[in-house]
């Protein structure tokens, strides 16, 4: 797990970090150049070259060996992924004005004492400890965001914290206007997007940007850059608020329910269309990950239910109905007369499907009473393939 904290480097420490980044960026670009000229820069070959280069150049020796080696390791991984992972491009040059500083340190390269993060070559930075680290970290990524803020993201272990047994069971259906519809309406999670106040302030900043925009080819004005920074700050603020809401929501669900049945939503089916839809899909993806993580950590049974037919199946009699028009918000069963909100009915169907499969073992494939055939995956431990860390 990653635990991220704000860093408050002084002027000297910030200069040192930027200098370190420039050296690492040089190495990265050198590796990209080698690849482009057909030299096959494997991590092994690159680190040999690094050792030779450090012997030769003082300016390279002035930087941390760990940070430089980790840059090459990251490069090696990015190159490998560009061959093995679909839609991944070859690593590209990192340009000075566009790329943001990122430095990686393993245990040999950092330590924490007196509340400060100590990096090689005498760099020491105060950390804002907004919460405690659950265990000693094994590595850290020091990076700067587009607003100029510095962060330290520690990789650390967080053990399961089984919560007291409870009886409740809940079903969750994902949606665009309401991110999560639960069987229990008090656990619904409305889609926040940018909060009202944030949205108004953001619109103001964007209007200012368009007023101050200069024609192409001219350097942007200070007023334009100010407004741009302001807009970025507001977007970041909204994102942080949404993360917080998602965590609080997930915790409340994990605290009160032993069985959590979740629609196994796969964003890529929907995300091809509009921007708003994309944002809503991204929100679902992140909230779903949070819910699965806090559910499994609390020792709850988290069941991922395939979304097929959940909106069409009656949660009372399990009879499948005709496909609902997307604008139709009410589900009506022609068989038993059950009427419910479309999403609420789907949430109940998801819960019912999970409960029917509850007795099963880890990977159960069940043929339920026809015509619904469902495959349920019961999650018993963290680390779900395809959902795991970033
Ligand atoms: Zn029915």
């Amino acid at each position: 797990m990653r635990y991220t904290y704000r860093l408050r480097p002084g002027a000297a420490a910030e200069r040192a970090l930027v200098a370190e980044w420039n050296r690492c960026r040089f190495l990265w670009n050198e590796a990209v150049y080698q690849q482009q000229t057909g030299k096959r820069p494997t991590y092994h070959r690159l680190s040999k070259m690094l050792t030779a280069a450090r012997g030769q150049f003082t300016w390279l020796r002035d930087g941390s060996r760990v940070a430089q080696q980790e840059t090459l390791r990251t490069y090696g991984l990015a190159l490998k992924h560009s061959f093995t992972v679909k839609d991944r491009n070859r690593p590209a040059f990192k340009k000075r004005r566009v790329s943001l500083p990122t430095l990686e340190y393993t245990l040999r390269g950092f330590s924490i004492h007196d509340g400060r993060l100590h990096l090689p070559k005498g760099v020491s930075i105060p950390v804002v400890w907004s919460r405690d680290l659950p265990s000693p970290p094994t590595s850290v990524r020091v990076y700067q965001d587009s607003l100029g803020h510095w962060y330290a993201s520690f990789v650390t272990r967080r053990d399961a914290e089984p919560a007291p047994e409870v009886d409740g069971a809940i079903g969750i259906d994902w949606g665009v206007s309401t991110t999560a519809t639960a069987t229990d309406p008090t656990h619904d999670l409305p889609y926040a997007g940018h909060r009202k106040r944030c949205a108004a302030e953001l619109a103001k900043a964007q209007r200012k940007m368009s007023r101050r925009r200069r024609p192409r080819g001219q350097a942007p004005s200070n007023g334009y850059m100010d407004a741009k920074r302001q807009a970025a700050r507001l977007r970041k603020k909204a994102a942080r608020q949404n993360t917080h809401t998602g965590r609080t929501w997930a915790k409340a669900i994990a605290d009160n329910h032993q069985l959590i049945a979740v629609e196994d939503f796969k964003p890529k089916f929907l995300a091809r269309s509009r921007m708003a839809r994309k944002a809503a899909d991204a929100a679902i993806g992140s909230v779903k990950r949070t819910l699965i993580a806090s559910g499994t950590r609390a020792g709850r049974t988290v069941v991922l239910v395939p979304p097929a037919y959940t909106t069409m199946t009656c949660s009372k009699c399990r009879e499948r109905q005709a496909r609902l028009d997307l604008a139709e918000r009410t589900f009506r069963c022609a068989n038993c007369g059950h009427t419910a909100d479309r999403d609420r009915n789907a949430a109940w169907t998801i819960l019912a499907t999970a409960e029917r499969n509850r007795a099963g073992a880890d990977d159960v494939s069940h043929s339920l009473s026809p015509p619904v055939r469902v495959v349920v995956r019961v999650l018993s431990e963290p680390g779900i393939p395809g959902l795991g860390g970033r």
Side-chain angles (χ1 to χ4, degrees):
M1 268 192 101
R2 281 194 172 274
Y3 270 55
T4 305
Y5 302 87
R6 182 81 183 268
L7 293 176
R8 300 218 183 268
E14 185 161 11
R15 265 200 307 279
L17 288 173
V18 171
E20 190 78 281
W21 165 240
N22 283 332
R23 283 185 289 263
C24 290
R25 198 168 57 81
F26 169 85
L27 292 171
W28 176 282
N29 289 343
E30 183 59 33
V32 173
Y33 174 75
Q34 297 226 352
Q35 205 276 327
Q36 290 184 351
T37 49
K39 296 237 176 59
R40 290 174 177 274
T42 57
Y43 170 64
H44 183 70
R45 192 175 295 183
L46 286 171
S47 51
K48 260 192 174 161
M49 291 174 62
L50 175 63
T51 312
R54 278 179 67 94
Q56 206 177 345
F57 303 112
T58 355
W59 65 268
L60 213 50
R61 232 168 17 244
D62 285 345
S64 145
R65 175 190 290 272
V66 174
Q68 292 170 3
Q69 255 169 355
E70 289 307 302
T71 302
L72 298 181
R73 196 188 300 277
T74 313
Y75 174 83
L77 207 63
L79 183 63
K80 194 178 130 201
H81 285 165
S82 74
F83 289 106
T84 53
V85 181
K86 200 177 158 248
D87 295 336
R88 199 68 69 82
N89 293 329
R90 298 275 178 279
F93 288 114
K94 290 194 187 291
K95 293 180 184 147
R96 188 174 65 87
R97 293 179 66 91
V98 201
S99 60
L100 292 165
T102 317
L103 299 161
E104 304 263 0
Y105 297 90
T106 55
L107 267 187
R108 287 180 298 133
F110 79 98
S111 61
I112 301 165
H113 41 93
D114 307 329
R116 296 168 81 97
L117 174 66
H118 295 266
L119 298 175
K121 312 284 173 187
V123 179
S124 125
I125 308 166
V127 182
V128 182
W129 296 108
S130 43
R131 53 178 175 165
D132 286 336
L133 272 168
S135 64
T138 52
S139 70
V140 66
R141 177 186 299 155
V142 175
Y143 65 93
Q144 191 182 28
D145 71 0
S146 56
L147 302 176
H149 301 162
W150 288 90
Y151 297 88
S153 167
F154 296 97
V155 174
T156 175
R157 267 205 69 80
R158 182 167 168 188
D159 294 328
E161 299 148 12
E165 286 259 330
V166 284
D167 282 337
I170 194 165
I172 307 286
D173 176 64
W174 306 113
V176 171
S177 58
T178 306
T179 302
T181 305
T183 43
D184 174 359
T186 55
H187 283 292
D188 281 359
L189 179 68
Y191 175 61
H194 297 304
R195 298 296 205 295
K196 249 188 191 147
R197 181 152 162 247
C198 264
E201 286 177 24
L202 185 63
K204 198 174 150 196
Q206 283 167 340
R207 276 198 300 277
K208 193 170 168 191
M209 273 170 74
S210 62
R211 272 202 309 277
R212 313 256 161 131
R213 183 171 280 127
R214 287 180 177 165
R216 264 184 97 118
Q218 282 184 34
S221 68
N222 288 337
Y224 175 82
M225 293 309 283
D226 274 352
K228 195 175 165 188
R229 257 194 301 277
Q230 178 66 11
R233 245 197 306 273
L234 288 165
R235 270 195 292 271
K236 185 134 212 169
K237 185 176 170 187
R240 266 199 298 259
Q241 283 175 338
N242 289 344
T243 311
H244 175 76
T245 320
R247 282 186 187 156
T248 325
W249 174 81
K251 185 165 187 308
I253 289 190
D255 281 350
N256 296 305
H257 305 89
Q258 195 64 34
L259 172 69
I260 304 168
V262 183
E263 178 196 354
D264 195 6
F265 173 81
K266 300 271 196 302
K268 63 176 176 236
F269 295 128
L270 292 175
R272 296 184 196 285
S273 50
R274 300 182 346 256
M275 279 303 285
R277 191 67 179 252
K278 266 188 185 167
D281 279 6
I284 294 173
S286 103
V287 165
K288 183 182 155 199
R289 273 194 300 277
T290 311
L291 178 61
I292 292 171
S294 46
T296 43
R297 200 162 50 234
R300 306 306 191 202
T301 310
V302 182
V303 182
L304 295 181
V305 178
Y309 309 124
T310 48
T311 38
M312 297 157 66
T313 307
C314 173
S315 56
K316 279 265 152 62
C317 68
R318 301 200 58 78
E319 182 87 2
R320 204 200 294 175
Q321 304 296 314
R323 186 171 292 282
L324 279 173
D325 194 59
L326 209 66
E328 179 57 55
R329 302 312 306 165
T330 313
F331 176 89
R332 280 185 195 85
C333 178
N335 186 42
C336 70
H338 175 60
T339 307
D341 174 76
R342 167 206 179 100
D343 295 338
R344 192 84 56 210
N345 175 65
W348 278 109
T349 306
I350 287 162
L351 178 57
T353 311
E355 276 177 334
R356 279 169 184 231
N357 288 270
R358 204 180 177 182
D362 267 21
D363 241 315
V364 206
S365 172
H366 271 273
S367 180
L368 293 182
S369 51
V372 192
R373 188 185 151 76
V374 218
V375 180
V376 179
R377 184 175 165 78
V378 181
L379 305 170
S380 53
E381 54 183 27
I384 309 102
L387 290 161
R390 289 167 290 153

